[in-house]
Amino acid sequence: MPRLSVWFVRFSLIHLFLGLTIGGLILANKRIPFAPWTWSLLPAHMEFLLLGWMVQLAMGVAFWILPRFRSNPPRGNVNVVWSALVLLNAGIVMVVIQPFVSMGWLSLAGRFLETSSVLLFVLVSWQRVKPMEA
Amino acid sequence: MPLLTRTFIKTALIYLTLALTLGIALALGITNGLFPVYIHLFVFGWLTQLIFGVVYWMFPKYSMQLPRGYEWLGWVTYGTLNIGLLLRAIAEPLQASKPNNLSGALLVVSAILQWLAGVVFIANTWHRVKEK
């Protein structure tokens, strides 16, 4: 597994933990209303799990597994994919904290970063989606 | 493909079918607190469970002696995930429509089990995320 994939996957596991913890608190709160404020974390729960866990894991594994180019670099421009990693995680953090700070633009900016991350990843990875060479 | 992986994937496929069937029920107007169940059958029962199974199979070896880590932890993940999800599928609609002590207790147990499934999976997988 290339180092960049290691980073993607470890971050995805951290997001899985955060998303599940929040989800567990929200679900338990339905029966024992120990913390009504947990409902305000529902968007964070979804963001951590859908973007942070699933999309990020998919990116990390795809970077590792997709057919490689014959020429160097074999997995495309690694710097662009590093940028995608940073943008995705920065975007998730911005979206998650926006409800708790008085910066209304933060969520939009976060989504923009997340979208940019995926677009960059797609640009680098598109041509790796090819038939296996005989 | 190891037995644990086959079990995860086949179970995930069953959840996919259940989720889609529940989707039809929802489209027909049968709600009663079923929408969260629908979502979680999809993302936890189908998607995440599929991922767990394939990751257990495919990720780099933990060690020569234990190439896939501790298999019993994998089975614990499988058990807690599925029992937690099934309890949720029963208790959440009940708690939404006719809340009572039993459905409430089942919901809390479900929350703990689903969380444990994720934590155990992470613990069993973390050290397999490495450069070869």
Side-chain angles (χ1 to χ4, degrees), chain A residues 4 62-63 66-67 69 73-84 116-129:
Chain A
L4 184 46
F63 181 75
L66 284 175
F69 297 120
R75 292 187 168 96
N77 189 326
V78 175
N79 291 331
V80 173
V81 186
W82 275 110
S83 303
S116 303
S117 163
V118 171
L119 281 172
L120 286 175
F121 187 83
V122 168
L123 274 171
V124 174
S125 306
W126 190 266
Q127 290 187 314
R128 293 179 63 191
V129 182

Side-chain angles (χ1 to χ4, degrees), chain A residues 64, chain B residues 2 4-5 54-71 124-130 132:
Chain A
W64 170 30
Chain B
L4 181 57
T5 296
V54 176
V55 163
Y56 178 77
W57 177 26
M58 288 290 194
F59 266 22
K61 284 185 196 167
Y62 175 71
S63 68
M64 292 304 287
Q65 296 78 22
L66 294 169
R68 294 195 169 94
Y70 297 93
E71 187 181 347
N124 202 29
T125 304
W126 187 265
H127 292 290
R128 294 180 64 189
V129 182
K130 57 184 179 178
K132 276 192 178 172

